[in-house]
Amino acid sequence: MSQKSEPWIDFSGRICVVTGANGGIGTGLVRAFAALGADIAMIDRVETSGTLEEEVRRAGRKALSLVCDVSDISSVEKAAEQVRSELGGCDILVNNAGLLRPGKLEALDAADWESLIAVNLHGYFHCVQAFGRQMLERKRGALVHVASIAGSQPQAFSGGYSAAKAAVAMMSRQLAFEWGPSGVRSNVVSPGLVRTPLSENFYRTPDVKERREAVVPSRRIGAVEDIADVAVFLASDRAGYVNGQEIVVDGGFSQTLMSHIPRPGYE
Ligand SMILES: NC(=O)c1ccc[n+]([C@@H]2O[C@H](COP(=O)([O-])OP(=O)(O)OC[C@H]3O[C@@H](n4cnc5c(N)ncnc54)[C@H](O)[C@@H]3O)[C@@H](O)[C@H]2O)c1
């Protein structure tokens, strides 16, 4: 074995596209991939303040910030062409842009169902197509989709959220099969509770942070870095034989089902 010390993960010369780059987890993803040498294309429907882009450039990487609505296929195709012409094509896609449209299913406005599916599912597919084709041409690449534990556990009163996340996880497995022979891997990272602008509303209720921490075996709310670390691994050559898998990053929360059963003497 070589004694030479090389970084465990090195994305030098790779181009990573992060969608939802301005959000909580997105910002963490951009920082993590840039720190490991990747040039970054940041995609979001809202324009950045430019600070994150500056941060990436200060780290010595190329940064391209694009306003793009992932639910609009022509907007995504235009962004993909810009990435190709300005950075040279996508090596890693992290599908992450998402939103919430909560409501009880019997009362949910159909427009809320549709707008959630348009971003959280169709948006992921649009990016897979537009950026994945660039990977297929070069016969290498990695897709990482940010799904959720809500994709395997029904999240009540959340409209189409769980359905969209479950569909993303299945799409990823299908991609692993279809694109594996062309050198492109597809995997999922599924966060549990993470405090970001998306979930911030919940934390405005007094005690909710403590109550949430109490139901997580690791006794803390996840940080964006917890998710980014796993996404980085899945996108890297260190996960070169990992394809069609899901890694749940939830501090053990999804393992607590049995604790809901009253079992006198076992508390
Ligand atoms: N925060 C959590 O607890 C949690 C838990 C599980 C899964 N997730 C998932 O992680 C991902 C990121 O969530 P977050 O918590 O960072 O949310 P966030 O709201 O902080 O960030 C989401 C980003 O996506 C962008 N976006 C929304 N619609 C878009 C569109 N049509 N086109 C382009 N960009 C768009 C938003 O502008 C925002 O910058 C989402 O897919 C979410 O479902 C989050």
Side-chain angles (χ1 to χ4, degrees):
M1 206 174 154
S2 159
Q3 293 300 305
K4 200 173 149 214
S5 86
E6 286 171 355
W8 201 65
I9 291 176
D10 183 2
F11 291 125
S12 302
R14 308 257 177 111
I15 292 136
C16 174
V17 175
V18 177
T19 74
N22 293 348
I25 293 174
T27 303
L29 289 165
V30 168
R31 289 189 173 128
F33 278 93
L36 292 166
D39 295 328
I40 314 279
M42 290 167 260
I43 284 186
D44 207 288
R45 71 177 164 185
V46 294
E47 202 152 358
T48 51
S49 62
T51 325
L52 190 59
E53 210 174 327
E54 266 311 301
E55 210 180 302
V56 172
R57 292 211 176 101
R58 270 201 310 275
R61 319 298 171 211
K62 288 184 197 155
L64 177 65
S65 187
L66 298 171
V67 176
C68 162
D69 177 354
V70 297
S71 69
D72 174 358
I73 194 158
S74 56
S75 175
V76 173
E77 278 168 358
K78 191 169 154 223
E81 274 322 302
Q82 278 176 277
V83 169
R84 191 204 290 275
S85 62
E86 294 188 37
L87 296 177
C90 174
D91 297 297
I92 297 162
L93 167 68
V94 188
N95 250 333
N96 167 74
L99 44 74
L100 304 177
R101 289 287 181 271
K104 294 179 179 180
L105 286 176
E106 73 272 24
L108 190 75
D109 194 325
D112 281 341
W113 175 274
E114 282 156 19
S115 60
L116 185 144
I117 298 292
V119 176
N120 294 17
L121 177 56
H122 296 168
Y124 278 42
F125 167 67
H126 295 155
C127 292
V128 157
Q129 268 207 331
F131 293 104
R133 283 182 188 135
Q134 297 179 4
M135 300 178 195
L136 291 172
E137 280 167 19
R138 286 184 286 172
K139 297 208 167 294
R140 69 181 164 98
L143 307 162
V144 179
H145 314 277
V146 180
S148 169
I149 53 170
S152 47
Q153 306 292 327
Q155 186 167 290
F157 316 122
S158 294
Y161 191 79
S162 277
K165 294 299 185 184
V168 161
M170 183 51 77
M171 179 178 72
S172 175
R173 291 167 61 190
Q174 185 176 341
L175 283 163
F177 180 82
E178 291 188 17
W179 292 4
S182 302
V184 180
R185 296 180 298 106
S186 179
N187 290 291
V188 165
V189 54
S190 282
L193 304 173
V194 186
R195 193 165 178 173
T196 68
L198 185 98
S199 55
E200 192 54 35
N201 256 342
F202 301 120
Y203 293 91
R204 299 215 170 97
T205 304
D207 291 347
V208 87
K209 178 173 171 283
E210 293 71 22
R211 280 162 53 211
R212 284 185 165 211
E213 284 169 345
V215 296
V216 176
S218 295
R219 294 289 184 265
R220 68 175 176 88
I221 304 302
V224 296
E225 292 78 10
D226 294 315
I227 311 308
D229 282 344
V230 174
V232 154
F233 166 69
L234 288 173
S236 77
D237 296 343
R238 295 289 173 179
Y241 204 50
V242 182
N243 198 7
Q245 299 304 307
E246 174 184 12
I247 298 185
V248 173
V249 185
D250 70 348
F253 176 63
S254 54
Q255 307 309 316
T256 62
L257 183 67
M258 297 293 275
S259 69
H260 298 293
I261 304 170
R263 296 177 84 201
Y266 280 74
E267 284 90 5

